[in-house]
Amino acid sequence: MQSSSTPSRSDLAGWLYVSPLVLVLVPFFVAPILVVLAASFFATDGFGGLTPGFTLASYVEVLHSALTLKLYMATIKFTVLTWIFTLIIGFFVAYFLVFHVRNQLLAIGLFLLCTVPFWTSNIIRMISWIPLLGKEGLINQALLGIGVIRQPLEVLLFSDLAVVIAYVHQLTIFMIVPIFNSMARIDKKLIEAAIDAGASRFDIMRLIVVPMSKSGIALGTIFVVSIVMGDFFVVKVMSGGGSASVVSAFYEDVGVLQYPTAAASAVLLTLVLVAIVSLILRTVDIRQEITR
Amino acid sequence: MKNDRGDIELAGVCKSFDGATYVVDGVNLKIADGAYCCFIGPSGCGKTTILRMIAGHEDPTVGEIVIGGQNVVGLAPVQRRTAMMFQSYALFPHLTVRENIAFALRVRGQSKADRLRAADAMIEKVRLTQFADRLPAQLSGGQQQRVALARAAITEPRVLLLDEPLSALDEQLRVQMRQELRRMQQELGITFIHVTHTQLEAIALADLVVVMEQGKIKQAGPAREVYAHPHDRYVAEFMGGQNVLSGRVEKVNGSSFTLAQAAPDGIEVPLLARSTVSVGDKVDIAVRRDDVALVRPGKDLPPGCTTSLPSRVLAIEYQGYFVKVMLDTVPDDEFVAYVPEKTFFADPFTVGDVVMATWSTGSALPLA
């Protein structure tokens, strides 16, 4: 009753609450996306000049190109591989931290240890793989030394393998954190109740821990998938230019001043990602799980 | 062949988590097959730890736990054939009532059809049929408790362990679920071990009441014995319903002794076979609150009463079928008389009145 008598005041309060977020999101998120969206419908003179208007030519070009499908296949391959490895590693690291480290302080210490790689820049972290994976790198030398191989393995660096390794290295933390979070909220009594019922360790993981960590897994998946699909730098550096991804392709387009096709590719990628994320959100009600 | 005997013996059981202090300290106890046993004591007295050791979620530091003639120390809960009902129930929040109850059968590898049939039969037994497809969060406290009970009972354990099963419920529901627990126990015919800190719950349910303090058993026996004949001051005060007085023995004469107190002639106490007292000893005695009669000064004492203590009425509480009268009879301890309602209102006292508190000599109980 009170709120209906002073609707304008409560409305104002609501707007005030969201205003900081709006002030950040509108100029730095909404506006750029609108610019890209607009540019994707513009025509170009081929030399960077844009003619305002409405044409679907860029979309037609992108969708008709055989390259687009190939790029998406390559990107999806990287995404799926990275997702699988980060999920497996992230799940078990979180599981270990939550259920096996009895000492709370130790668990927090180990958790912080997981974040240590993030104290250095992304580029340095990638470069640091070179002495390990390179032709003269530690792994090749070790394998040569014990006589397993005669020739250094070329596949280790500047390859798809190297790209996946770098992604996994970079992104596992994005799996660990949300999964750790949802696991930490599992009541330890539930595990005891499951043991009491005769559940094995595997049963407990399969029937209790995994279903109850669903929201964390979903959140981590969203992070990893959107980062990998939106990345070109790791692919470029770690594949040595041998592989491409969706983003690296439209990065090239920008380089040769093909703004509308680049914008159209970007919009397409955004739509694909939105579709993937909404699919994930449809299977796991993250909102409900988090507020539970 | 399955051994279905659910008799339990604890022999010299100790438990220490840090190697220095013992939360359970030398417990010896026999619990008969099919008994309803209540462990009672204040929080931190080790009762839950004992329960968890019987359940197999904790191992004793020293001692043996024998179930059905077999030492079960080191065995998993499934091998012990015990089942535990956890405090606040620990229901799996992502599983429906039916799936929760069928969980133990699922991990035992029963086929889906079999386990759901068994679960449905159990659901009917605890009267939850219409809630079978709900999640635990959609149930009331009492319903959740029944799910927990059904989940524990479905494996046909020989011992069911209940950790403060009623503490999450409100008063009315608690009384109702208390009866349900007793009914289930009789229906299943298995040993129940129930940990509680509520005296009423323990004496209402248990065949065997075990009173604990600081890791030790203070008294174990049938409910009536523990309530009416407490061993010592701790049990008497903890179980309630008793006034505890202490004093020095003034004289000993054959079958009774006299305790020096504020009473003109001291307090006469019958001598029990087990107690030996001599003059000068400091002795605690207990007098049931409902055995105390209040008489106005100068009036005759009821027959059989030799002791009367002058007291002032401190407070009066109406309790329905009786009236609780608090007195300043003894300097340091609480002294209360439960006067039947009709007796009280025939000649009601008011706060500040001087009365004589008296009881028949035979009802005074010397404590260890």
Side-chain angles (χ1 to χ4, degrees), chain A residues 19-43:
Chain A
S19 58
L21 193 61
V22 170
L23 286 178
V24 173
L25 283 184
V26 169
F28 297 110
F29 178 71
V30 179
I33 284 190
L34 290 178
V35 168
V36 170
L37 189 66
S40 72
F41 295 116
F42 286 2

Side-chain angles (χ1 to χ4, degrees), chain B residues 234-283:
Chain B
Y234 176 81
V235 177
E237 285 180 344
F238 190 78
M239 294 308 293
Q242 304 271 4
N243 293 305
V244 182
L245 303 92
S246 54
R248 294 203 179 276
V249 176
E250 214 168 44
K251 59 177 191 264
V252 182
N253 41 352
S255 63
S256 69
F257 63 91
T258 308
L259 203 63
Q261 256 291 356
D265 308 313
I267 301 171
E268 197 186 352
V269 183
L271 204 53
L272 295 183
R274 60 179 154 90
S275 50
T276 49
V277 293
S278 44
V279 175
D281 285 354
K282 193 170 177 292
V283 173

Side-chain angles (χ1 to χ4, degrees), chain A residues 1 17 37 44 62 69 95 98 101 142 144 148 150 155-156 160 169 185 197 202 227 272:
Chain A
M1 267 192 286
Y17 283 130
L37 189 66
T44 176
V62 169
L69 187 64
Y95 183 83
V98 173
V101 182
L144 283 170
V148 179
R150 298 241 182 103
V155 70
L156 289 181
D160 288 358
H169 178 209
R185 283 187 292 132
F202 179 67
I227 292 173
V272 169

